[in-house]
Amino acid sequence: MEKMFFTFAKKYYLCKLIIMCKRYYTIILLAIVFGVSAFCAQTVRIYGYVVDAENVGIDMANVVVKDKNIGTTTNRNGYYELNVERSDSLVLIFSLLGYRGIEQPLHNLSEVMNVNAMLMSDSENIAEIEVHGIRKQIGMIDQTSVESLRQMPDATGGGIESVLITFAGVRQNNELSSQYNVRGGSFDENSVYVNGIEVHRPLLIRASQQEGLSFVNSDMVSSLQFSAGGFDAEYGDKMSSVLDIRYKQPRMFEAKLSASLLGASAYVGTGNENYSMMHGIRYKTSRYMLGALPTKGNYKPNFVDYQTYITWRLGKKKVGEDIDSRRWSMSVLGNFSQNSYEFRPDSLSQSFGTFQVARRLTAGFEGQEKDMFRTAFGAIGISGELNKDLSIGFDLSGFYTAEHENYDITCDYFLQSNPMSSGEEDPTGQSATEQPEPTEPTDTQVEILGKGIYHEHARNRLEAGVVTFAHHGSWTKDANTLKWGASVQGELISDEIREWEWRDSAGYSIPHDEHAMNIFYSLRGTTSMRSLRLQAYAQDTYKWQLKQGSLVLTGGVRLNWWSYNGEFLCSPRAALTYLPTYKRNFALRFATGLYYQAPFYKELRTMPIDANGVGRIQLNRDIRAQRSVHVVAGGDYYFRAWGRPFKLTAEAYFKYADRVVSYTVDNVRVRYSGMNDAVSYSTGLDLKLYGELVPGADSWISLSTMRSRENLLNDDQGWIAAPQEQRYAFTMFFQDYLPRLPQLRVHLKTVVSDGLPFGNPRISNSRAQWRIPTYWRIDIGASLSFSPKTDLWMRKAKHVDNWSVMFEVFNLANVKNVNSHFWITDAMGQQWAFPNRLTGRMFNLRLAVEFK
């Protein structure tokens, strides 16, 4: 009795505490905000833009308070911000080499002051500087702000893909995944480079629940460039897109610690004029997110990785120079990651269909899934300048992955009609009532449409190793830049697949046979592959300065040979950019080229069915590289509105591909046919408006339309929707803050995109017969941050550079988006497509502290 009393007392007071917190959380939050506001009232916030005579923002201009040790520099848009102690008056000094400095006295200071300045060029020193507003895009690759990456609400737990999916032309319909597709291409058609070295990812991933974080550590990123098509010859052999990441080389100590309900990370970097090093550790657990999925059970996903990047500057520093930029340097990039996923499903109860035809699936599960994915990556490089015009480099890199997939899961399910009452919501998934266990319904109004059992089993193993030795170089003379590169790559892959599925409906195994019990699906095979790839490229960029404007022409060719099928490929590419003199705020560009994507491994696998109905994996040596022609035309319009910089981008594209290896998509698993059995095309228009809707905070809006079609050569369906056709997409990232409290910011990300086409994967002529409902979600975050640059009281903390807390709401509207379908077959052969839904509304709290 005493133990029961204390247990009851603990629960009672805990409940009272929770209720009290819920009741007064608004008051507590307002008290914190007003307390910070009261402290900030003792300071003056000064912000504005520094522009040149053409009203273009000036990067790295100095803004200093006269006679005080307070100052800052402008960002790439010319924006600056200062916090100073309240006084009667002060003087701001604006200066930059190549411009005539000015002094701006300020009197009668208020809490928030907007002070803009225009610097006139100094003819004696103007040749020594370069002016930047929003960076003008030359060619087909664009650069974005890295700071936006660190502030964006992100359900993946810190992946760089949270920024990519807001780009025009980039689409994603699964917030649990780091995979993305570009302009109708598959997940496997996107190249990712880190410091000029292509990185790989695991091959067996079949569901977003299994995924960890992508290779790129966002804390270590210095710059991010992306191209959605028409990219240069230096960027690999993929058909859709290129993501080019450069890591930082810190010159002094810096560190960051962050933690949230989705995981934690730690980063430290240091360096001087002779060396730099960075180390990063990340941990992610999506257990909290997966708990919101309709399938209830015990989820145990854990991802951890360690990454390091070290550089050394070789040679001796010359006397009288700061740093000799022509010295040789050596670098080491290393990564190890382990991703384990354990899952014990318990129950599922969910409605689907329409008001007229409403269905409910109730299921109970037994068994478990245990997966393990380990990857290791290492690269060592050396580069330098032989003279002021010529630079060369060499890289040796290796990638290894060991992947194990094991599951034995039995499901006992009931499929029944679901009569709607007046108080119920649409069974299409906006809300679903959960039941703890599947029990046979007794309501006479409910009709049992089917009941059965299925059992899924897999013991899959894959090991892969890739070793690459590469050389690259560049030569610059006046307006001409020549780049070249060559590489040799060895690949060794071993794959063992053992998976099957048995189904029973109303006491009959499916497919039904009176004389035998058949397996619904079975796949077996042990394969291995050894191959060698030789690759090379050469490209030249030439700039003309004409009276009518500037022309930049880049032309190149890429060569590829693969030993496995003996195929030789030649890929010519060209891009032209025109910057007119009479319209300095315009930039026009055009690109075209022939792009090949040689198979890696998954594209090679065919699955012929033997006499026993078992699929046997075989590798197709006769397969050829997929081939695509890109034609891309676009332009940028740079302008200022409300005194702030903006950039409007438009790109129209057409891609035609033959020798296509057709595929189907289930969740994030891509199953290839293993044959060149299709042709396809994609065409569309991408629009993006980028700028500062509020001073000093980047925001953007993207709108895309697309038509992507394919024609399978071995059937009579004709042109049908391609697997990744999303006919429209709208994305937005918006930031705002209180003028008198800029430390408190709101970050809003919105994604709306067309649903993907789908069909029954077991029936070849049913592809793209239906379409998943529109995918849309709103993620919002509110952050409160403090820094010595803007908060005077922080200057007493010598080693703390910034600390912040962010509260995030994922899927604000609680939309139950659909990711894929599971097909249920009854004994009569009728099939039902049951939607696999994604997460609903979730909350996250993120804390971060940066040190210097």
Side-chain angles (χ1 to χ4, degrees), residues 716-745:
D716 56 358
Q717 282 187 281
W719 290 96
I720 60 175
Q724 298 288 4
E725 183 193 53
Q726 290 176 282
R727 296 165 296 184
Y728 56 86
F730 170 82
T731 58
M732 178 180 69
F733 176 60
F734 172 72
Q735 299 185 84
D736 198 3
Y737 57 83
L738 299 176
R740 296 188 178 184
L741 187 61
Q743 298 93 334
L744 181 61
R745 295 198 173 201

Side-chain angles (χ1 to χ4, degrees), residues 122-155:
D122 185 342
S123 59
E124 295 181 0
N125 297 318
I126 190 64
E128 302 177 20
I129 65 166
E130 183 179 356
V131 180
H132 296 277
I134 294 179
R135 176 181 175 270
K136 286 195 174 183
Q137 180 177 338
I138 304 298
M140 304 307 298
I141 194 159
D142 193 16
Q143 186 169 343
T144 191
S145 169
V146 179
E147 288 303 317
S148 302
L149 164 67
R150 303 185 177 107
Q151 298 167 349
M152 186 171 291
D154 179 19

Side-chain angles (χ1 to χ4, degrees), residues 529-787:
M529 184 189 77
R530 294 184 180 183
S531 65
L532 185 71
R533 295 180 196 264
L534 302 179
Q535 303 174 75
Y537 74 88
Q539 72 177 45
D540 186 65
T541 300
Y542 195 85
K543 302 176 182 179
W544 290 274
Q545 188 63 50
L546 308 175
K547 183 181 298 184
Q548 296 81 7
S550 300
L551 279 175
V552 181
L553 175 63
T554 300
V557 62
R558 189 170 186 91
L559 307 177
N560 186 304
W561 177 81
W562 191 29
S563 65
Y564 192 78
N565 61 3
E567 186 178 24
F568 175 80
L569 306 173
C570 179
S571 172
R573 307 172 189 180
L576 178 66
T577 301
Y578 174 51
L579 307 176
T581 303
Y582 65 96
K583 288 288 186 180
R584 293 183 179 273
N585 52 350
F586 278 92
L588 305 175
R589 57 184 174 271
F590 173 83
T592 186
L594 183 63
Y595 293 80
Y596 287 93
Q597 180 161 332
F600 182 65
Y601 175 70
K602 292 192 297 183
E603 300 95 321
L604 298 174
R605 299 194 304 187
T606 61
M607 292 171 283
I609 308 299
D610 64 14
N612 297 318
V614 178
R616 300 289 181 179
I617 291 182
Q618 298 178 3
L619 301 185
N620 181 10
R621 283 186 173 271
D622 296 326
I623 197 170
R624 290 294 178 255
Q626 300 179 84
R627 180 171 56 191
S628 176
V629 175
H630 289 198
V631 179
V632 184
D636 303 318
Y637 172 52
Y638 302 84
F639 62 98
R640 297 186 78 86
W642 309 291
R644 297 187 285 274
F646 289 89
K647 171 187 173 182
L648 176 62
T649 296
E651 280 192 0
Y653 61 90
F654 176 78
K655 302 191 297 183
Y656 178 82
D658 64 353
R659 309 200 305 192
V660 173
V661 181
S662 65
Y663 63 91
T664 58
V665 180
D666 181 16
N667 202 306
V668 297
R669 188 182 207 175
V670 180
R671 285 190 178 274
Y672 291 94
S673 66
M675 298 178 290
N676 302 110
D677 58 353
V679 294
S680 68
Y681 72 87
S682 296
T683 184
L685 175 67
D686 295 330
L687 301 172
K688 180 177 180 180
L689 177 63
Y690 175 92
E692 297 183 1
L693 295 177
V694 294
D698 292 333
S699 301
W700 57 83
I701 298 173
S702 299
L703 177 64
S704 300
T705 61
M706 176 183 67
R707 181 177 176 84
S708 182
R709 295 281 162 169
E710 69 174 5
N711 186 1
L712 302 177
L713 304 179
N714 54 3
D715 67 15
D716 56 358
Q717 282 187 281
W719 290 96
I720 60 175
Q724 298 288 4
E725 183 193 53
Q726 290 176 282
R727 296 165 296 184
Y728 56 86
F730 170 82
T731 58
M732 178 180 69
F733 176 60
F734 172 72
Q735 299 185 84
D736 198 3
Y737 57 83
L738 299 176
R740 296 188 178 184
L741 187 61
Q743 298 93 334
L744 181 61
R745 295 198 173 201
V746 175
H747 317 275
L748 177 70
K749 182 175 72 172
T750 302
V751 178
V752 181
S753 60
D754 188 23
L756 294 172
F758 75 96
N760 191 324
R762 309 295 181 190
I763 303 177
S764 60
N765 60 0
S766 73
R767 296 171 64 144
Q769 284 193 350
W770 303 278
R771 192 172 287 271
I772 293 175
T774 297
Y775 176 89
W776 70 281
R777 62 183 284 121
I778 301 173
D779 297 335
I780 188 171
S783 65
L784 184 63
S785 62
F786 297 98
S787 169

Side-chain angles (χ1 to χ4, degrees), residues 64-129:
V64 179
V65 180
K66 190 175 183 178
D67 299 328
K68 293 186 179 181
N69 189 25
I70 300 175
T72 187
T73 58
T74 57
N75 66 10
R76 68 186 186 283
N77 296 327
Y79 179 81
Y80 77 93
E81 186 175 328
L82 282 172
N83 278 49
V84 298
E85 294 180 352
R86 180 178 290 278
S87 60
D88 294 333
S89 64
L90 57 82
V91 177
L92 290 181
I93 301 176
F94 301 89
S95 63
L96 180 65
L97 179 65
Y99 292 88
R100 292 193 291 270
I102 62 173
E103 295 187 3
Q104 177 68 53
L106 303 178
H107 305 283
N108 300 322
L109 303 183
S110 58
E111 291 183 19
V112 180
M113 299 190 69
N114 178 218
V115 181
N116 299 319
M118 179 178 291
L119 299 183
M120 307 305 294
S121 63
D122 185 342
S123 59
E124 295 181 0
N125 297 318
I126 190 64
E128 302 177 20
I129 65 166

Side-chain angles (χ1 to χ4, degrees), residues 294-296 346-352 358-365 410-419 432-442 446-454 822 824 832 834-835:
T295 302
K296 303 305 176 184
D346 181 32
S347 62
L348 168 68
S349 183
Q350 182 174 293
S351 299
F352 65 101
R359 300 289 181 259
R360 175 176 289 278
L361 181 70
T362 304
F365 299 90
T410 302
C411 173
D412 185 359
Y413 67 87
F414 295 98
L415 179 66
Q416 61 199 72
S417 62
N418 188 33
T433 304
E434 296 171 7
Q435 299 176 5
E437 293 182 359
T439 57
E440 188 165 347
T442 58
V446 175
E447 178 186 1
I448 299 178
L449 303 176
K451 59 181 180 179
I453 301 173
Y454 71 81
F822 178 75
I824 299 173
W832 308 84
F834 173 74

Side-chain angles (χ1 to χ4, degrees), residues 211-215 282-286 301-305 335-340 373 375:
E211 287 192 47
L213 293 170
S214 61
F215 179 91
R282 297 181 296 173
Y283 169 73
K284 175 190 175 183
T285 175
S286 52
N302 291 288
F303 171 88
V304 62
D305 88 329
N335 171 267
F336 174 79
S337 68
Q338 176 173 295
N339 182 18
S340 64
F373 306 90
T375 63

